[in-house]
Amino acid sequence: MDWPEFVRATARLGVPLSSHQEARLREYTQRLLAANRRVNLTALRDESALLQRYLLDSLALLPVMAQTLGCSVEALRARSLRGIDVGSGGGAPGIPLAIAWPALRMTLVEATAKKARFLQEVTQSLELPVPVLSQRAEEVAHQPAHRERYDLVTARAVAALPALVELTLPFLRVGGWAFFPKGERAGEETQAALAAIQILGGEEVQKVPYPGSDAGAIVVIRKVATTPERYPRRPGVPTRRPLLRGTRKGEPEG
Ligand code: SAM
């Protein structure tokens, strides 16, 4: 995929870009490709793959978010919602979303210091008002400034769904929404995560086909109740011992 094809594909998705947004996405891509030679930010090494599978896949969340919130993409892009992207790595999907939706108040969480440093440098050079937290989600989610403060949470390629919901749902206010791009195992992962989703205050799991692609789905979860204070458990525990079916609500864990 080259730039003209990418721009046409964003328009087909219903996410037209201004020339300023396009320039920012270009600069982001160049910086990501350059930094990827030093730090392993993404396995995608060439521009074509980055455009298709990093930028476009990130922007494909926008129509799904708009549909979920019951508005057009244009109306969504005018709304000043609070979003948090957990395990951003090189910035997907948080940075493309922040570029294409400037009213979104996005925060990035990334545990690996070298990756967080790249995110800090790139957000600064792109003049994106996007704070980068170089910490683990398990710690940030217990901080009052971040706990249950967000309207939207995203996370891509961070963990299997039973662990991922523990790392992310605590950030959402009641009424907020989680959006997780997932591969072909979306259905299986969702089944395995149903108990965890309920324990953490989520419901209404939907699997929305990935716009513009035949594989994968975006798993969408709504937060309907406050997350019990003890979640997420200590760093590493959510992935090591995910909340699976049969975990009792009052059981001491972690
Ligand atoms: N989201 C990016 C993408 O789609 O390319 C990065 C995916 S990378 C495979 C997973 C990232 O999640 C890594 O950068 C890792 O450091 C980060 N991560 C994993 N567990 C985390 C946690 N508990 N808190 C914060 N970041 C985490």
Side-chain angles (χ1 to χ4, degrees):
M1 176 171 271
D2 60 12
W3 274 96
E5 277 176 85
F6 169 75
V7 171
R8 283 196 296 276
T10 59
R12 274 199 303 277
L13 266 182
V15 185
L17 299 170
S18 68
S19 52
H20 181 58
Q21 289 167 339
E22 203 188 309
R24 273 178 152 180
L25 285 170
R26 271 179 190 260
E27 182 180 340
Y28 169 55
T29 308
Q30 293 318 314
R31 286 184 179 272
L32 188 58
L33 282 170
N36 214 23
R37 291 183 207 115
R38 293 180 278 114
V39 184
N40 186 19
L41 295 164
T42 165
L44 305 171
R45 301 278 160 195
D46 63 274
E47 185 176 272
S48 170
L50 271 184
L51 293 181
Q52 175 85 52
R53 295 189 24 223
Y54 211 76
L55 264 54
L56 203 58
D57 276 10
S58 297
L59 296 180
L61 286 170
L62 278 167
V64 176
M65 288 172 167
Q67 189 190 358
T68 304
L69 273 69
C71 62
S72 65
V73 172
E74 195 187 351
L76 182 72
R77 286 164 107 184
R79 289 177 70 178
S80 177
L81 300 182
R82 286 195 78 185
I84 187 160
D85 185 36
V86 173
S88 291
I95 291 187
L97 286 175
I99 292 174
W101 179 1
L104 174 67
R105 288 175 290 152
M106 176 59 96
T107 295
L108 308 178
V109 181
E110 173 48 55
T112 305
K114 276 191 285 188
K115 296 184 184 186
R117 209 156 30 242
F118 165 75
L119 293 171
Q120 275 151 0
E121 283 164 12
V122 85
T123 49
Q124 217 162 43
S125 85
L126 292 168
E127 296 180 355
L128 286 174
V130 172
V132 178
L133 307 174
S134 178
Q135 278 173 289
R136 291 191 68 108
E138 294 93 321
E139 293 159 343
V140 182
H142 284 288
Q143 298 165 6
H146 300 288
R147 189 172 183 87
E148 307 214 308
R149 296 282 176 163
Y150 293 88
D151 304 295
L152 309 171
V153 64
T154 54
R156 190 182 95 133
V158 175
L161 208 54
L164 189 60
V165 290
E166 186 170 348
L167 297 176
T168 53
L169 294 189
F171 288 107
L172 288 177
R173 65 170 176 81
V174 172
W177 293 90
F179 297 88
F180 304 126
K182 284 285 173 187
E184 284 161 5
R185 299 187 58 226
E188 254 171 81
E189 284 194 35
T190 304
Q191 278 307 311
L194 290 177
I197 292 168
Q198 204 210 346
I199 291 170
L200 296 160
E203 76 157 26
E204 265 195 53
V205 183
Q206 302 162 47
K207 290 189 301 300
V208 184
Y210 223 109
S213 150
D214 345 314
I218 296 170
V219 175
V220 181
I221 299 169
R222 182 173 169 81
K223 178 99 170 244
V224 292
T226 302
T227 301
E229 197 47 51
R230 61 183 173 279
Y231 300 113
R233 291 165 292 168
R234 283 177 292 121
V237 177
T239 31
R240 224 167 34 241
R241 289 202 291 117
L243 297 167
L244 295 172
R245 202 189 312 274
T247 311
R248 281 177 287 114
K249 274 194 175 176
E251 189 181 346
E253 287 132 6

